[in-house]
Amino acid sequence: MSLKAIRNALNARLNTLPSLPSVAWENVAFTPKTTETHLRVNFLPAPTRPAANHKSAMDFESGIYQIDVYSPQDQGPNPASDVAESIRQHFSRGSTLVNSGITVNIEATPSMTLNDREGGFWRVRLTVPWFAYVPTS
């Protein structure tokens, strides 16, 4: 349940982005409009590790919240980059998000890791590194 709470905290934070474009959420049907900017998110957790070397230690959860920004092709890089910059500021380093008693920490400023064309759109990929300490059950 901890990963579900973490995913929900990250999705909830994205939902508060001013001027949020439409979002292709994981495993939800989505057809983008070719004339509009949209986002696609992926929740990519890393393997769970113990926070310390003893039986009752909390779990250390970490991973990447990946956000792809798509803008219509042939309009230059700025429309997607502008949205990406606003997302970077929205998920600023040191931010904390809480869901179901779990505190999710934004570990570093989100990075732009990819710029390319995909299916009639210009794509900018952001990676948001996060971590959380979760009590073991």
Side-chain angles (χ1 to χ4, degrees):
M1 292 302 271
S2 63
L3 291 177
K4 178 181 175 182
I6 293 166
R7 173 190 276 123
N8 289 343
L10 292 162
N11 287 347
R13 178 67 181 159
L14 182 60
N15 263 327
T16 65
L17 180 73
S19 302
L20 177 70
S22 56
V23 179
W25 300 104
E26 294 175 301
N27 200 30
V28 175
F30 180 80
T31 303
K33 294 180 181 174
T34 58
T35 58
E36 295 179 6
T37 297
H38 68 279
L39 309 178
R40 182 179 65 196
V41 299
N42 289 292
F43 178 71
L44 307 168
T48 303
R49 301 185 319 254
N53 193 19
H54 58 85
K55 186 176 180 179
S56 62
M58 297 180 96
D59 284 336
F60 179 76
E61 300 284 6
S62 64
I64 298 292
Y65 188 58
Q66 181 177 286
I67 305 167
D68 288 343
V69 181
Y70 292 87
S71 64
Q73 191 169 298
D74 298 325
Q75 294 183 3
N78 289 341
S81 293
D82 290 347
V83 173
E85 274 301 324
S86 69
I87 294 169
R88 291 182 80 215
Q89 293 172 12
H90 198 63
F91 284 90
S92 60
R93 178 185 59 209
S95 297
T96 56
L97 318 171
V98 179
N99 186 282
S100 299
I102 295 173
T103 300
V104 182
N105 301 277
I106 303 304
E107 183 175 13
T109 301
S111 298
M112 288 191 217
T113 61
L114 176 72
N115 296 289
D116 69 354
R117 291 177 185 238
E118 181 182 295
F121 292 93
W122 178 252
R123 174 176 61 171
V124 173
R125 175 165 291 163
L126 290 169
T127 57
V128 181
W130 59 266
F131 70 91
Y133 292 96
V134 180
T136 57
S137 45

